[in-house]
Short mmCIF file of all heavy atoms in Angstrom, two decimals:
data_model
loop_
_atom_site.label_atom_id
_atom_site.label_comp_id
_atom_site.label_asym_id
_atom_site.label_seq_id
_atom_site.Cartn_x
_atom_site.Cartn_y
_atom_site.Cartn_z
N PRO A 1 0.83 -1.21 0.00
CA PRO A 1 0.00 0.00 0.00
C PRO A 1 0.86 1.26 0.00
O PRO A 1 2.06 1.21 -0.05
CB PRO A 1 -0.81 -0.11 1.28
CG PRO A 1 -0.65 -1.52 1.77
CD PRO A 1 0.56 -2.06 1.14
N MET A 2 0.23 2.39 0.11
CA MET A 2 0.94 3.66 0.07
C MET A 2 1.63 3.98 1.39
O MET A 2 2.51 4.81 1.43
CB MET A 2 0.00 4.79 -0.30
CG MET A 2 -0.94 5.22 0.79
SD MET A 2 -1.84 6.68 0.26
CE MET A 2 -1.80 7.64 1.74
N TYR A 3 1.28 3.32 2.48
CA TYR A 3 1.84 3.68 3.77
C TYR A 3 3.36 3.57 3.84
O TYR A 3 4.00 4.52 4.29
CB TYR A 3 1.19 2.87 4.91
CG TYR A 3 -0.20 3.33 5.21
CD1 TYR A 3 -1.29 2.53 4.94
CD2 TYR A 3 -0.43 4.57 5.77
CE1 TYR A 3 -2.58 2.95 5.19
CE2 TYR A 3 -1.70 5.03 6.03
CZ TYR A 3 -2.78 4.20 5.75
OH TYR A 3 -4.04 4.63 6.01
N PRO A 4 3.98 2.47 3.41
CA PRO A 4 5.44 2.41 3.52
C PRO A 4 6.14 3.55 2.77
O PRO A 4 7.08 4.15 3.29
CB PRO A 4 5.80 1.05 2.94
CG PRO A 4 4.57 0.22 3.19
CD PRO A 4 3.43 1.19 3.00
N ASP A 5 5.70 3.89 1.56
CA ASP A 5 6.32 4.99 0.81
C ASP A 5 6.12 6.32 1.52
O ASP A 5 7.04 7.12 1.64
CB ASP A 5 5.75 5.08 -0.60
CG ASP A 5 6.20 3.92 -1.49
OD1 ASP A 5 7.23 3.28 -1.16
OD2 ASP A 5 5.53 3.65 -2.48
N PHE A 6 4.92 6.55 1.99
CA PHE A 6 4.61 7.78 2.71
C PHE A 6 5.44 7.87 3.99
O PHE A 6 6.04 8.91 4.28
CB PHE A 6 3.11 7.82 3.04
CG PHE A 6 2.73 8.95 3.96
CD1 PHE A 6 2.65 10.25 3.47
CD2 PHE A 6 2.46 8.71 5.29
CE1 PHE A 6 2.30 11.29 4.31
CE2 PHE A 6 2.12 9.75 6.14
CZ PHE A 6 2.03 11.04 5.65
N LEU A 7 5.52 6.78 4.72
CA LEU A 7 6.29 6.78 5.96
C LEU A 7 7.77 6.92 5.70
O LEU A 7 8.48 7.61 6.44
CB LEU A 7 6.01 5.50 6.77
CG LEU A 7 4.60 5.39 7.34
CD1 LEU A 7 4.39 4.02 7.96
CD2 LEU A 7 4.34 6.48 8.36
N ASP A 8 8.27 6.27 4.66
CA ASP A 8 9.69 6.42 4.30
C ASP A 8 10.02 7.88 4.02
O ASP A 8 11.03 8.40 4.50
CB ASP A 8 10.05 5.57 3.09
CG ASP A 8 10.15 4.09 3.40
OD1 ASP A 8 10.13 3.72 4.60
OD2 ASP A 8 10.25 3.30 2.44
N ARG A 9 9.19 8.54 3.23
CA ARG A 9 9.44 9.95 2.91
C ARG A 9 9.42 10.81 4.17
O ARG A 9 10.28 11.67 4.36
CB ARG A 9 8.41 10.46 1.89
CG ARG A 9 8.65 9.95 0.48
CD ARG A 9 7.82 10.72 -0.55
NE ARG A 9 6.40 10.75 -0.23
CZ ARG A 9 5.52 9.81 -0.60
NH1 ARG A 9 5.93 8.76 -1.29
NH2 ARG A 9 4.25 9.93 -0.31
N ARG A 10 8.44 10.58 5.02
CA ARG A 10 8.34 11.37 6.24
C ARG A 10 9.52 11.09 7.18
O ARG A 10 10.12 12.01 7.73
CB ARG A 10 7.02 11.10 6.95
CG ARG A 10 6.85 11.96 8.19
CD ARG A 10 5.50 11.83 8.77
NE ARG A 10 4.68 12.89 8.21
CZ ARG A 10 3.41 13.08 8.53
NH1 ARG A 10 2.82 12.28 9.37
NH2 ARG A 10 2.74 14.06 8.01
N ASN A 11 9.86 9.80 7.36
CA ASN A 11 10.99 9.46 8.21
C ASN A 11 12.29 10.07 7.67
O ASN A 11 13.10 10.59 8.44
CB ASN A 11 11.14 7.95 8.33
CG ASN A 11 10.04 7.32 9.16
OD1 ASN A 11 9.34 7.99 9.89
ND2 ASN A 11 9.87 6.03 9.02
N ASN A 12 12.50 9.98 6.36
CA ASN A 12 13.70 10.56 5.76
C ASN A 12 13.76 12.06 5.96
O ASN A 12 14.84 12.63 6.15
CB ASN A 12 13.77 10.22 4.27
CG ASN A 12 14.01 8.74 4.03
OD1 ASN A 12 14.52 8.03 4.89
ND2 ASN A 12 13.63 8.28 2.86
N ALA A 13 12.61 12.72 5.94
CA ALA A 13 12.58 14.17 6.17
C ALA A 13 12.86 14.50 7.64
O ALA A 13 13.47 15.54 7.94
CB ALA A 13 11.23 14.73 5.75
N TRP A 14 12.44 13.66 8.55
CA TRP A 14 12.64 13.91 9.98
C TRP A 14 14.07 13.67 10.43
O TRP A 14 14.54 14.29 11.37
CB TRP A 14 11.73 13.02 10.81
CG TRP A 14 10.31 13.49 10.90
CD1 TRP A 14 9.81 14.70 10.54
CD2 TRP A 14 9.22 12.74 11.41
NE1 TRP A 14 8.47 14.75 10.77
CE2 TRP A 14 8.07 13.55 11.30
CE3 TRP A 14 9.09 11.46 11.92
CZ2 TRP A 14 6.83 13.13 11.71
CZ3 TRP A 14 7.84 11.04 12.33
CH2 TRP A 14 6.72 11.86 12.23
N MET A 15 14.78 12.73 9.79
CA MET A 15 16.10 12.34 10.28
C MET A 15 17.07 13.50 10.44
O MET A 15 17.69 13.61 11.49
CB MET A 15 16.70 11.24 9.40
CG MET A 15 16.15 9.86 9.68
SD MET A 15 16.34 9.31 11.40
CE MET A 15 18.12 9.21 11.51
N PRO A 16 17.22 14.41 9.49
CA PRO A 16 18.15 15.53 9.71
C PRO A 16 17.74 16.39 10.91
O PRO A 16 18.60 16.85 11.67
CB PRO A 16 18.07 16.34 8.41
CG PRO A 16 17.56 15.38 7.39
CD PRO A 16 16.67 14.42 8.13
N GLU A 17 16.44 16.58 11.10
CA GLU A 17 15.97 17.37 12.23
C GLU A 17 16.22 16.64 13.56
O GLU A 17 16.64 17.25 14.54
CB GLU A 17 14.48 17.71 12.09
CG GLU A 17 14.17 18.54 10.86
CD GLU A 17 14.96 19.85 10.83
OE1 GLU A 17 15.05 20.53 11.86
OE2 GLU A 17 15.48 20.18 9.75
N LEU A 18 15.94 15.34 13.57
CA LEU A 18 16.20 14.56 14.79
C LEU A 18 17.68 14.57 15.14
O LEU A 18 18.04 14.72 16.31
CB LEU A 18 15.71 13.13 14.62
CG LEU A 18 14.21 12.91 14.58
CD1 LEU A 18 13.90 11.45 14.29
CD2 LEU A 18 13.58 13.34 15.88
N LYS A 19 18.54 14.43 14.13
CA LYS A 19 19.99 14.44 14.38
C LYS A 19 20.43 15.77 14.98
O LYS A 19 21.25 15.79 15.90
CB LYS A 19 20.75 14.16 13.09
CG LYS A 19 20.66 12.72 12.65
CD LYS A 19 21.43 12.52 11.35
CE LYS A 19 21.35 11.11 10.86
NZ LYS A 19 22.13 10.92 9.63
N LYS A 20 19.89 16.88 14.49
CA LYS A 20 20.23 18.20 15.05
C LYS A 20 19.88 18.26 16.53
O LYS A 20 20.66 18.77 17.34
CB LYS A 20 19.48 19.32 14.31
CG LYS A 20 20.01 19.65 12.95
CD LYS A 20 19.18 20.79 12.38
CE LYS A 20 19.31 20.86 10.89
NZ LYS A 20 18.41 21.85 10.30
N ILE A 21 18.72 17.77 16.87
CA ILE A 21 18.27 17.81 18.27
C ILE A 21 19.11 16.86 19.12
O ILE A 21 19.63 17.24 20.16
CB ILE A 21 16.77 17.44 18.36
CG1 ILE A 21 15.92 18.51 17.69
CG2 ILE A 21 16.35 17.24 19.81
CD1 ILE A 21 14.49 18.12 17.45
N ILE A 22 19.25 15.62 18.67
CA ILE A 22 19.95 14.60 19.44
C ILE A 22 21.42 14.95 19.61
O ILE A 22 22.02 14.67 20.65
CB ILE A 22 19.79 13.22 18.76
CG1 ILE A 22 18.33 12.77 18.83
CG2 ILE A 22 20.69 12.19 19.40
CD1 ILE A 22 18.01 11.57 17.96
N ASP A 23 22.02 15.58 18.61
CA ASP A 23 23.44 15.92 18.69
C ASP A 23 23.73 17.09 19.63
O ASP A 23 24.88 17.31 20.00
CB ASP A 23 24.00 16.23 17.30
CG ASP A 23 24.14 14.98 16.43
OD1 ASP A 23 24.09 13.86 16.98
OD2 ASP A 23 24.30 15.13 15.21
N THR A 24 22.70 17.85 20.01
CA THR A 24 22.93 19.01 20.86
C THR A 24 22.45 18.82 22.29
O THR A 24 22.85 19.57 23.17
CB THR A 24 22.24 20.26 20.27
OG1 THR A 24 20.84 20.02 20.15
CG2 THR A 24 22.82 20.60 18.92
N ARG A 25 21.61 17.83 22.54
CA ARG A 25 21.09 17.63 23.91
C ARG A 25 20.42 16.27 24.02
O ARG A 25 20.15 15.63 23.01
CB ARG A 25 20.10 18.74 24.27
CG ARG A 25 18.90 18.81 23.35
CD ARG A 25 18.09 20.07 23.62
NE ARG A 25 17.00 20.25 22.68
CZ ARG A 25 17.11 20.86 21.51
NH1 ARG A 25 18.25 21.34 21.12
NH2 ARG A 25 16.05 21.00 20.74
N SER A 26 20.15 15.85 25.24
CA SER A 26 19.40 14.62 25.45
C SER A 26 17.99 14.82 24.90
O SER A 26 17.45 15.93 24.96
CB SER A 26 19.32 14.28 26.93
OG SER A 26 20.58 13.97 27.43
N ALA A 27 17.42 13.76 24.41
CA ALA A 27 16.11 13.91 23.80
C ALA A 27 15.26 12.68 24.02
O ALA A 27 15.76 11.56 24.05
CB ALA A 27 16.26 14.16 22.30
N PHE A 28 13.99 12.90 24.19
CA PHE A 28 12.98 11.86 24.21
C PHE A 28 12.14 12.11 22.98
O PHE A 28 11.57 13.19 22.82
CB PHE A 28 12.13 11.94 25.48
CG PHE A 28 11.01 10.94 25.50
CD1 PHE A 28 11.22 9.66 25.99
CD2 PHE A 28 9.75 11.29 25.05
CE1 PHE A 28 10.20 8.74 26.01
CE2 PHE A 28 8.71 10.36 25.07
CZ PHE A 28 8.94 9.08 25.55
N VAL A 29 12.09 11.15 22.09
CA VAL A 29 11.36 11.31 20.83
C VAL A 29 10.15 10.38 20.86
O VAL A 29 10.30 9.17 21.03
CB VAL A 29 12.26 10.98 19.62
CG1 VAL A 29 11.48 11.09 18.33
CG2 VAL A 29 13.49 11.87 19.61
N ALA A 30 8.98 10.94 20.71
CA ALA A 30 7.76 10.13 20.68
C ALA A 30 7.11 10.28 19.31
O ALA A 30 6.90 11.39 18.84
CB ALA A 30 6.80 10.59 21.77
N VAL A 31 6.86 9.15 18.68
CA VAL A 31 6.22 9.15 17.36
C VAL A 31 5.20 8.01 17.32
O VAL A 31 5.22 7.13 18.19
CB VAL A 31 7.23 8.97 16.22
CG1 VAL A 31 8.20 10.14 16.18
CG2 VAL A 31 7.99 7.67 16.34
N GLY A 32 4.38 8.02 16.33
CA GLY A 32 3.43 6.93 16.14
C GLY A 32 4.16 5.64 15.82
O GLY A 32 5.25 5.63 15.24
N ILE A 33 3.57 4.54 16.19
CA ILE A 33 4.23 3.23 16.08
C ILE A 33 4.64 2.88 14.65
O ILE A 33 5.67 2.25 14.43
CB ILE A 33 3.35 2.12 16.70
CG1 ILE A 33 4.17 0.85 16.84
CG2 ILE A 33 2.11 1.89 15.86
CD1 ILE A 33 3.58 -0.16 17.77
N LYS A 34 3.88 3.31 13.67
CA LYS A 34 4.22 2.95 12.29
C LYS A 34 5.52 3.61 11.82
O LYS A 34 6.11 3.17 10.85
CB LYS A 34 3.08 3.29 11.35
CG LYS A 34 1.90 2.36 11.54
CD LYS A 34 0.86 2.58 10.48
CE LYS A 34 -0.26 1.57 10.67
NZ LYS A 34 -1.27 1.67 9.62
N HIS A 35 5.97 4.65 12.52
CA HIS A 35 7.25 5.28 12.16
C HIS A 35 8.44 4.53 12.74
O HIS A 35 9.57 4.86 12.45
CB HIS A 35 7.28 6.73 12.64
CG HIS A 35 6.32 7.59 11.91
ND1 HIS A 35 6.54 8.03 10.61
CD2 HIS A 35 5.11 8.08 12.26
CE1 HIS A 35 5.52 8.75 10.22
NE2 HIS A 35 4.63 8.79 11.19
N LEU A 36 8.19 3.52 13.55
CA LEU A 36 9.28 2.82 14.23
C LEU A 36 9.71 1.55 13.53
O LEU A 36 10.83 1.11 13.71
CB LEU A 36 8.86 2.50 15.67
CG LEU A 36 8.51 3.73 16.52
CD1 LEU A 36 8.06 3.28 17.89
CD2 LEU A 36 9.69 4.67 16.61
N TYR A 37 8.85 0.94 12.78
CA TYR A 37 9.24 -0.32 12.16
C TYR A 37 9.46 -0.15 10.67
O TYR A 37 9.43 0.96 10.16
CB TYR A 37 8.27 -1.44 12.49
CG TYR A 37 6.83 -1.22 12.11
CD1 TYR A 37 6.36 -1.63 10.88
CD2 TYR A 37 5.93 -0.64 13.00
CE1 TYR A 37 5.04 -1.46 10.54
CE2 TYR A 37 4.61 -0.47 12.65
CZ TYR A 37 4.17 -0.88 11.43
OH TYR A 37 2.86 -0.72 11.10
N TYR A 38 9.71 -1.19 9.99
CA TYR A 38 10.15 -1.25 8.60
C TYR A 38 11.67 -1.05 8.57
O TYR A 38 12.27 -0.53 9.50
CB TYR A 38 9.50 -0.20 7.68
CG TYR A 38 8.02 -0.33 7.51
CD1 TYR A 38 7.17 0.67 7.93
CD2 TYR A 38 7.47 -1.46 6.93
CE1 TYR A 38 5.80 0.57 7.77
CE2 TYR A 38 6.10 -1.58 6.76
CZ TYR A 38 5.27 -0.56 7.17
OH TYR A 38 3.93 -0.66 7.01
N LYS A 39 12.27 -1.43 7.48
CA LYS A 39 13.72 -1.29 7.34
C LYS A 39 14.15 0.17 7.29
O LYS A 39 15.29 0.50 7.56
CB LYS A 39 14.22 -2.03 6.12
CG LYS A 39 13.68 -1.50 4.81
CD LYS A 39 14.15 -2.31 3.62
CE LYS A 39 13.50 -1.76 2.36
NZ LYS A 39 13.82 -2.55 1.21
N ASN A 40 13.22 1.06 6.96
CA ASN A 40 13.53 2.49 6.93
C ASN A 40 12.86 3.26 8.07
O ASN A 40 12.74 4.48 8.00
CB ASN A 40 13.11 3.10 5.59
CG ASN A 40 13.94 2.56 4.44
OD1 ASN A 40 15.14 2.37 4.58
ND2 ASN A 40 13.30 2.28 3.32
N GLY A 41 12.43 2.54 9.09
CA GLY A 41 11.83 3.20 10.25
C GLY A 41 12.86 4.02 11.00
O GLY A 41 14.08 3.88 10.80
N LEU A 42 12.39 4.89 11.86
CA LEU A 42 13.30 5.77 12.59
C LEU A 42 14.30 5.02 13.44
O LEU A 42 15.47 5.42 13.53
CB LEU A 42 12.49 6.75 13.44
CG LEU A 42 11.64 7.75 12.66
CD1 LEU A 42 10.79 8.58 13.60
CD2 LEU A 42 12.51 8.63 11.78
N ILE A 43 13.89 3.91 14.06
CA ILE A 43 14.82 3.14 14.89
C ILE A 43 15.98 2.64 14.04
O ILE A 43 17.16 2.84 14.39
CB ILE A 43 14.10 1.97 15.59
CG1 ILE A 43 13.15 2.51 16.66
CG2 ILE A 43 15.12 1.02 16.21
CD1 ILE A 43 12.29 1.46 17.30
N MET A 44 15.70 2.02 12.92
CA MET A 44 16.76 1.49 12.07
C MET A 44 17.63 2.61 11.49
O MET A 44 18.85 2.47 11.40
CB MET A 44 16.19 0.63 10.94
CG MET A 44 15.64 -0.70 11.40
SD MET A 44 16.83 -1.70 12.35
CE MET A 44 18.12 -1.95 11.15
N GLN A 45 17.02 3.71 11.13
CA GLN A 45 17.81 4.81 10.59
C GLN A 45 18.74 5.39 11.64
O GLN A 45 19.89 5.73 11.34
CB GLN A 45 16.89 5.90 10.03
CG GLN A 45 16.24 5.51 8.73
CD GLN A 45 15.65 6.69 8.00
OE1 GLN A 45 16.25 7.76 7.92
NE2 GLN A 45 14.45 6.50 7.46
N LEU A 46 18.26 5.50 12.87
CA LEU A 46 19.12 6.01 13.94
C LEU A 46 20.26 5.05 14.23
O LEU A 46 21.42 5.47 14.39
CB LEU A 46 18.30 6.27 15.21
CG LEU A 46 17.38 7.49 15.14
CD1 LEU A 46 16.38 7.47 16.28
CD2 LEU A 46 18.18 8.78 15.14
N ILE A 47 19.97 3.76 14.30
CA ILE A 47 21.01 2.76 14.55
C ILE A 47 22.04 2.79 13.42
O ILE A 47 23.25 2.79 13.68
CB ILE A 47 20.39 1.36 14.71
CG1 ILE A 47 19.59 1.29 16.02
CG2 ILE A 47 21.46 0.28 14.68
CD1 ILE A 47 18.74 0.04 16.17
N LYS A 48 21.59 2.83 12.17
CA LYS A 48 22.50 2.88 11.03
C LYS A 48 23.35 4.15 11.04
O LYS A 48 24.46 4.16 10.50
CB LYS A 48 21.73 2.78 9.72
CG LYS A 48 21.17 1.41 9.44
CD LYS A 48 20.37 1.40 8.15
CE LYS A 48 19.72 0.05 7.92
NZ LYS A 48 18.88 0.06 6.71
N SER A 49 22.85 5.21 11.67
CA SER A 49 23.60 6.46 11.76
C SER A 49 24.54 6.47 12.96
O SER A 49 25.21 7.47 13.21
CB SER A 49 22.63 7.65 11.86
OG SER A 49 21.89 7.77 10.67
N GLY A 50 24.56 5.36 13.73
CA GLY A 50 25.50 5.25 14.84
C GLY A 50 24.96 5.64 16.20
O GLY A 50 25.72 5.70 17.17
N TYR A 51 23.68 5.89 16.31
CA TYR A 51 23.09 6.25 17.59
C TYR A 51 22.73 5.01 18.38
O TYR A 51 22.41 3.97 17.82
CB TYR A 51 21.83 7.10 17.40
CG TYR A 51 22.11 8.45 16.79
CD1 TYR A 51 22.02 8.65 15.42
CD2 TYR A 51 22.47 9.52 17.58
CE1 TYR A 51 22.29 9.89 14.85
CE2 TYR A 51 22.73 10.76 17.03
CZ TYR A 51 22.64 10.93 15.66
OH TYR A 51 22.90 12.16 15.10
N LYS A 52 22.76 5.13 19.69
CA LYS A 52 22.30 4.06 20.57
C LYS A 52 20.81 4.30 20.83
O LYS A 52 20.42 5.39 21.25
CB LYS A 52 23.07 4.08 21.89
CG LYS A 52 22.63 3.00 22.83
CD LYS A 52 23.41 3.07 24.13
CE LYS A 52 22.88 2.00 25.08
NZ LYS A 52 23.55 2.10 26.39
N VAL A 53 20.02 3.30 20.56
CA VAL A 53 18.57 3.42 20.73
C VAL A 53 18.14 2.40 21.78
O VAL A 53 18.49 1.23 21.70
CB VAL A 53 17.84 3.13 19.40
CG1 VAL A 53 16.33 3.19 19.57
CG2 VAL A 53 18.30 4.11 18.32
N ALA A 54 17.41 2.87 22.78
CA ALA A 54 16.96 1.98 23.86
C ALA A 54 15.49 2.25 24.16
O ALA A 54 15.05 3.41 24.13
CB ALA A 54 17.79 2.22 25.11
N PRO A 55 14.74 1.20 24.46
CA PRO A 55 13.34 1.41 24.81
C PRO A 55 13.22 2.04 26.20
O PRO A 55 14.10 1.89 27.03
CB PRO A 55 12.75 -0.01 24.81
CG PRO A 55 13.93 -0.88 25.09
CD PRO A 55 15.12 -0.21 24.48
N VAL A 56 12.15 2.74 26.38
CA VAL A 56 11.82 3.29 27.70
C VAL A 56 10.88 2.31 28.37
O VAL A 56 9.82 2.00 27.82
CB VAL A 56 11.15 4.68 27.57
CG1 VAL A 56 10.70 5.18 28.92
CG2 VAL A 56 12.11 5.66 26.91
N VAL A 57 11.29 1.81 29.52
CA VAL A 57 10.46 0.85 30.25
C VAL A 57 9.59 1.64 31.22
O VAL A 57 10.09 2.43 32.02
CB VAL A 57 11.33 -0.17 31.02
CG1 VAL A 57 10.46 -1.12 31.80
CG2 VAL A 57 12.22 -0.92 30.04
N MET A 58 8.31 1.41 31.12
CA MET A 58 7.37 2.11 32.00
C MET A 58 6.74 1.12 32.96
O MET A 58 6.32 0.05 32.55
CB MET A 58 6.29 2.81 31.17
CG MET A 58 6.82 3.87 30.25
SD MET A 58 5.54 4.64 29.25
CE MET A 58 4.52 5.38 30.51
N HIS A 59 6.72 1.50 34.20
CA HIS A 59 6.06 0.70 35.22
C HIS A 59 4.80 1.45 35.63
O HIS A 59 4.88 2.52 36.22
CB HIS A 59 6.97 0.48 36.42
CG HIS A 59 8.23 -0.25 36.06
ND1 HIS A 59 8.27 -1.61 35.87
CD2 HIS A 59 9.48 0.19 35.82
CE1 HIS A 59 9.49 -1.98 35.54
NE2 HIS A 59 10.24 -0.90 35.49
N LEU A 60 3.69 0.91 35.28
CA LEU A 60 2.43 1.56 35.59
C LEU A 60 1.86 1.00 36.88
O LEU A 60 1.87 -0.19 37.12
CB LEU A 60 1.43 1.35 34.45
CG LEU A 60 1.87 1.86 33.08
CD1 LEU A 60 0.83 1.49 32.03
CD2 LEU A 60 2.09 3.35 33.11
N ARG A 61 1.37 1.90 37.68
CA ARG A 61 0.69 1.49 38.92
C ARG A 61 -0.80 1.63 38.72
O ARG A 61 -1.29 2.64 38.22
CB ARG A 61 1.11 2.38 40.08
CG ARG A 61 2.52 2.25 40.47
CD ARG A 61 2.74 3.06 41.71
NE ARG A 61 4.14 3.44 41.77
CZ ARG A 61 4.63 4.21 42.69
NH1 ARG A 61 3.85 4.71 43.62
NH2 ARG A 61 5.90 4.52 42.70
N HIS A 62 -1.48 0.63 39.09
CA HIS A 62 -2.94 0.69 39.01
C HIS A 62 -3.45 1.13 40.38
O HIS A 62 -3.15 0.51 41.38
CB HIS A 62 -3.52 -0.68 38.66
CG HIS A 62 -3.09 -1.14 37.29
ND1 HIS A 62 -3.67 -0.67 36.13
CD2 HIS A 62 -2.13 -1.98 36.88
CE1 HIS A 62 -3.10 -1.22 35.10
NE2 HIS A 62 -2.15 -2.02 35.52
N GLN A 63 -4.21 2.17 40.38
CA GLN A 63 -4.77 2.68 41.63
C GLN A 63 -6.26 2.40 41.65
O GLN A 63 -6.96 2.64 40.68
CB GLN A 63 -4.52 4.18 41.77
CG GLN A 63 -3.06 4.52 41.91
CD GLN A 63 -2.87 6.01 42.08
OE1 GLN A 63 -3.77 6.80 41.79
NE2 GLN A 63 -1.72 6.40 42.57
N LYS A 64 -6.67 1.85 42.75
CA LYS A 64 -8.09 1.57 42.93
C LYS A 64 -8.78 2.89 43.26
O LYS A 64 -8.32 3.65 44.10
CB LYS A 64 -8.25 0.57 44.07
CG LYS A 64 -9.58 -0.08 44.12
CD LYS A 64 -9.58 -1.15 45.18
CE LYS A 64 -10.81 -1.99 45.08
NZ LYS A 64 -10.85 -3.03 46.08
N LEU A 65 -9.86 3.16 42.57
CA LEU A 65 -10.61 4.39 42.84
C LEU A 65 -11.32 4.28 44.17
O LEU A 65 -11.95 3.28 44.49
CB LEU A 65 -11.64 4.66 41.72
CG LEU A 65 -11.05 4.97 40.35
CD1 LEU A 65 -12.18 5.09 39.34
CD2 LEU A 65 -10.27 6.26 40.41
N GLN A 66 -11.19 5.31 44.98
CA GLN A 66 -11.89 5.37 46.26
C GLN A 66 -13.30 5.88 46.03
O GLN A 66 -13.50 6.85 45.32
CB GLN A 66 -11.16 6.32 47.22
CG GLN A 66 -9.74 5.93 47.52
CD GLN A 66 -9.69 4.67 48.40
OE1 GLN A 66 -10.56 4.45 49.21
NE2 GLN A 66 -8.65 3.87 48.21
N GLN A 67 -14.26 5.19 46.61
CA GLN A 67 -15.65 5.64 46.45
C GLN A 67 -16.23 5.98 47.77
O GLN A 67 -15.90 5.56 48.79
CB GLN A 67 -16.47 4.58 45.77
CG GLN A 67 -16.03 4.44 44.33
CD GLN A 67 -17.05 3.64 43.52
OE1 GLN A 67 -18.07 3.18 44.02
NE2 GLN A 67 -16.77 3.48 42.25
#
């Protein structure tokens, strides 16, 4: 479908901007899940560019609502 081509173009356009940000300071980058996978996803592009990419582990606490 058109999604991989569209996502590739968008990811390719974002990479120079992401590199500018990442190269100057610590960064947390949040994007939609479809931008993360595929061979041209942001994760693979960052790894191929020499960046270390690590998942953020979240521990969620469930709170019981008081009534």
Side-chain angles (χ1 to χ4, degrees):
M2 75 173 222
Y3 287 111
D5 290 339
F6 171 76
L7 292 173
D8 286 350
R9 285 193 307 272
R10 183 172 268 181
N11 290 343
N12 292 338
W14 281 348
M15 281 303 295
E17 298 303 316
L18 289 176
K19 287 179 181 182
K20 285 181 200 174
I21 294 167
I22 293 169
D23 288 344
T24 59
R25 60 189 174 273
S26 294
F28 176 87
V29 178
V31 296
I33 192 163
K34 289 188 177 184
H35 292 285
L36 300 177
Y37 57 91
Y38 296 117
K39 63 183 177 185
N40 294 321
L42 294 175
I43 290 173
M44 288 306 298
Q45 287 196 42
L46 288 166
I47 291 170
K48 288 178 184 177
S49 294
Y51 294 94
K52 180 181 177 184
V53 178
V56 174
V57 178
M58 297 179 62
H59 299 281
L60 302 176
R61 294 186 205 176
H62 297 282
Q63 294 181 343
K64 197 174 190 180
L65 294 175
Q66 300 289 329
Q67 291 194 0

